[in-house]
């Protein structure tokens, strides 16, 4: 049973990417997350011996996401808000490629407007919002989904920013959570997609002026999501190829007919 | 019954975008499509009085896709192959925005690698290929889908380029067609998605060295697809907004609690 | 433009099926719906000249759904609650077959537990509920979807029964509406599926002790849904077939190899 | 890391259900599968120490699927062909309930017409067929999907029965495999759905007059599918409930308004 063996001996290599601005510039946020949100989230993940989480931030060279480091990552978590535009387009493309190759991606809260998420969704990813510390009740609409493992029918976050529909993302593979807000809105708070070989999960809660990432149920969801997003089959490099299959290598014998544009062995147009 | 009335008095405004390179530079293609592929396709659409199709090409200013013209378009069809890179990124973004607002988009054959399609899918959109004029049999896997209206169980294109799986696109809303190729491959040749308010259809056949766009069944599919993609509800500008809903305008009475980042009336970060 | 012509000269033939029990036995319901809920709904549909709605009830022979009548129906709307078990299994099967052939089906409120809906979903179709006349706010999560045509961002039904998740139905094709309830629950109130050639829509509101089916916005949704569910391509009888394709009629020449179970011309096992 | 621990100490409990008729009555089938197809499949599963597969057959009391035995099953595989009608409706319902509770289900080949599969799909599940021992090439359209783990781009079964589209099942969650047939047809040979808490996979190959279940690649797919279908979270009994949430237990304080049908504590109608 090699798959299990591998899971036993190797942990899931997760990177928690944090924008790390408001923790430095806003007293409220710094007080709630003196170690930075990324470190708080990473610690929550590392409480599970099956996960080995490290962090990366906007301010590091290559935002902490070098080719080498991303190549070794199984799952990337992404939290950003204040300065999405500061993320280098080349790094965005690098992350997207790794997702297509099979790296899991978990996008958190205001990360809905990150370049990475918008790049992979191909839609505006917009929504309504209100910053009033109101009650959010997150309902599990897909019980026994791996990401909902161990949760009850719903859980409450007493103070959160409201996000309201329409959330302009592609129709998901599965809807896992839907949130109720005290002010009257609803939001699809847990959605899954697959892009290439990569599993993607969006999880709504996590406004930086509230202690959401200190909540034990939120921790549970994050750990579940890392395990769900993890694709144990390894990097799928062929996702980037558009190979020509020459006539003489066709699986069934065929005879070439009619004119053609390309000479034998020539690459296709991109 | 205003919807029907509108359909009677106004035709669907379709733009057929053609790259228009091989028709100018390749004798084989020019002979098959002396008027250009875009004009051939537009003529096939215009045989239906409910469709009013015009054309646009790469070589025109703004590739023929000015703000004004796109704003009036109901459906855009896209064929490109030789020089996807020559399409201006600003025009790509303009097209994507119109799709989100409700303009239908039909991507044809080698348009799978167009910037527009890759932008909206968020995936590589790659595939296998072979240029051997082999037989393609397109199977209808969703009979009575609007795009398959009037078709039999399958139809044959005697000479086509092969496209083979994996086609690295997001899991579709619906699979309408799957192709069988003489050389042993299969391909999901008709797929639908919705992005924002826009309906998107990918249709595989249409290599420029074969007379595919002179085929009556292909014409039928294209007309069906234009009608299916057409969203009669008009432009949905709100898709671009991420409005703040202030506490005093909440739908249910709530009291603001806790700290916040934004001052009243301030826009969110993007 | 034959499709439009047909729509002009022929209306969509809709049948509103009502259980018609509480209108007869419960004074509150009778007062709200003196003509029966089915007639109230049919009148709302008939305000659109493109729809020709009639009614059928549990008490009629064959529940008003004879083979002949169903064969001519384009769309069936289903409201039942008190006695789902009284619906004849043969009629349930007849309805399911017509849906597969292309008849649209709109299931209303407590119809979630109807035999017809459970038959077509293949799941329990269960949910939470509370009868407290509380406020329901229905959010449009798929703006410009045909079923949401003409609606704003949300609409309110001041007094409704609560339905809460989990709603145990298959993952839908599209989520159109999600409801917020004053008591803290959420519900996917507008969901679409396709089964065979038939379009299915579930619409949540409509508890019989409240005047929901007198609401103008609800009327609008019902009319939109009938138009969306309507498949203009006519009955698809082949959906019931499992045809043998004999070797000599194979599309590509093949030679029979190996042993077989069936003699030439023999039907398959069912 | 409790999930991994559980997986280590407990194997996945799989039941391979075989109709077991043609192995007894047809010399060709008996020669290929002298131990019965169910035992051949079970042996292929048991080559993985993480799976503990046993068998059940039509001829056993309760078809070998007692309440107790099903309650302990993690995954059920189903092969039937000659006499789908002989399966007791009560057992069909029992299986469906266990799937909704979280038992995985893998339906094989001619099981497309089994009562169990049709019950869970809610559609005819019909297809075209030809018994000519022709070549089937199964293409992986979702590389790195857990069910495709360890497979190449495609694999060949040299002699198989042809199944052709339209396969009248609901639009799947994911399309994993599509088959090419020598005679010109295509078929979606690997499809996934989720019903309640249960994962369902349909896998096409497996006609009883060919040695398909002796094929190593088919074995690999079956083992992968068992692991994919397995839901480690245990039985979800609440899937069968439609609980009333009384006003006094509402999550948010509400006041009952308007008339109601049900007295306090009364069960809902079913």
């Amino acid at each position: 049973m090699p798959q299990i063996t591998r899971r036993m001996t190797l942990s899931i290599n997760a990177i928690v990417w944090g924008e790390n601005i408001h923790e430095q510039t806003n007293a409220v946020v710094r007080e709630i997350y003196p170690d930075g949100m990324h470190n708080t989230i990473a610690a929550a993940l590392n409480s599970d011996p099956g996960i080995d989480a490290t962090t990366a931030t906007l301010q590091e060279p290559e935002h902490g996401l070098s080719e080498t480091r991303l190549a070794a990552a199984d799952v990337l978590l992404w939290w950003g808000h204040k300065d999405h535009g500061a993320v280098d387009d080349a790094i965005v493309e690098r992350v997207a490629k790794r997702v297509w190759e099979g790296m899991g991606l978990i996008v958190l809260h205001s990360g809905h407007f990150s370049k990475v998420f918008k790049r992979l969704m191909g839609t505006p990813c917009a929504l309504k919002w209100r910053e009033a510390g109101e009650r959010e009740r997150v309902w599990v609409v897909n019980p026994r989904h791996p990401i909902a493992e161990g949760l009850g029918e719903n859980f409450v976050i007493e103070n959160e920013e409201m996000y309201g529909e329409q959330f302009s993302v592609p129709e998901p593979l599965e809807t896992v959570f839907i949130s109720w807000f005290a002010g009257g809105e609803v939001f699809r708070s847990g959605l899954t997609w697959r892009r290439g070989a990569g599993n993607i999960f969006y999880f709504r809660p996590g406004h930086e002026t509230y202690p959401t990432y200190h909540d034990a149920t939120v921790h549970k969801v994050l750990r579940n999501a890392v395990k769900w997003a993890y694709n144990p089959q390894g990097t799928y490099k062929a996702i980037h190829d558009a190979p020509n299959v020459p006539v003489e290598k066709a699986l069934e014998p065929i005879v070439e007919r009619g004119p053609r544009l390309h000479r034998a062995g020539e690459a296709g147009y991109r």
Side-chain angles (χ1 to χ4, degrees), chain A:
Chain A
M1 205 171 168
Q3 185 176 337
I4 306 294
T5 308
R6 197 177 347 152
R7 287 198 170 195
M8 283 169 53
T9 52
L10 296 180
S11 299
I12 299 171
N13 186 343
I15 301 176
V16 182
W17 191 90
E19 191 188 62
N20 191 34
I21 294 179
H22 280 137
E23 297 97 321
Q24 310 301 328
T25 62
N26 182 297
V28 169
V29 179
R30 188 166 43 225
E31 190 172 357
I32 301 175
Y33 298 108
D35 300 324
M37 303 173 81
H38 45 289
N39 283 311
T40 302
I41 293 169
L45 299 179
N46 281 324
S47 73
D48 186 323
I51 303 175
D52 180 7
T54 54
T55 66
T57 57
L58 176 66
Q59 297 77 21
E60 298 170 45
E62 303 181 75
H63 311 320
L65 300 173
S66 67
E67 289 276 9
T68 311
R69 196 165 174 212
L70 270 183
D74 293 317
V75 179
L76 176 66
L77 298 94
W78 193 278
W79 193 100
H81 187 193
K82 180 65 172 66
D83 200 2
H84 294 306
V87 177
D88 191 300
D89 287 341
I91 306 296
V92 171
E93 211 57 25
R94 187 184 289 172
V95 169
K97 281 182 179 168
R98 276 294 294 140
V99 170
W100 301 333
E101 291 173 355
M103 181 182 73
L105 178 69
I106 298 168
V107 176
L108 298 171
H109 189 66
S110 43
H112 72 90
F113 260 164
S114 65
K115 287 182 177 180
V116 160
F117 190 56
K118 292 192 295 183
R119 172 72 180 87
L120 287 161
M121 294 291 106
T123 57
C125 305
L127 45 81
K128 291 184 180 55
W129 59 282
R130 178 176 52 236
E131 204 183 358
E134 70 200 90
R135 183 176 310 129
E136 172 177 15
R137 182 172 286 104
V138 184
W139 285 92
V140 176
V141 306
N142 196 332
R144 294 294 194 272
H145 188 282
I147 296 176
E149 197 265 319
L151 304 183
E153 292 181 339
N154 70 76
F155 61 96
V156 172
I157 305 177
E158 190 54 37
N159 295 279
E160 252 296 351
E161 185 181 16
M162 180 280 289
Y163 276 7
E165 296 278 348
Q166 182 208 9
F167 184 23
S168 49
V169 288
E171 193 75 25
L173 198 66
E174 303 157 311
T175 301
V176 181
F177 302 129
I178 297 177
S179 286
W180 175 103
F181 287 95
E185 284 87 359
V186 296
F187 196 78
R188 290 170 293 168
S189 286
L191 299 173
T192 72
W193 299 268
R194 187 176 172 98
R195 291 296 181 265
N199 298 311
I200 302 177
F201 179 59
Y202 175 80
F203 186 52
R204 198 215 74 83
H207 191 57
E208 63 264 51
T209 64
Y210 313 116
T212 298
Y213 293 121
H214 292 296
D215 182 275
T217 306
V218 169
H219 291 177
K220 177 71 173 150
V221 171
L222 295 174
R223 287 189 296 261
N224 288 347
V226 166
K227 291 174 186 173
W228 169 84
Y230 170 55
N231 190 333
Q233 294 182 53
T235 298
Y236 182 57
K237 284 283 180 193
I239 191 78
H240 307 302
D241 301 338
N244 177 255
V245 183
V247 173
E248 64 275 16
K249 291 194 177 169
L251 298 160
E252 302 287 327
I254 54 170
V255 174
E256 187 177 324
R257 305 185 296 187
R260 64 182 196 184
L261 289 172
H262 293 274
R263 273 163 300 190
E266 198 179 73
Y269 307 121
R270 278 194 179 231

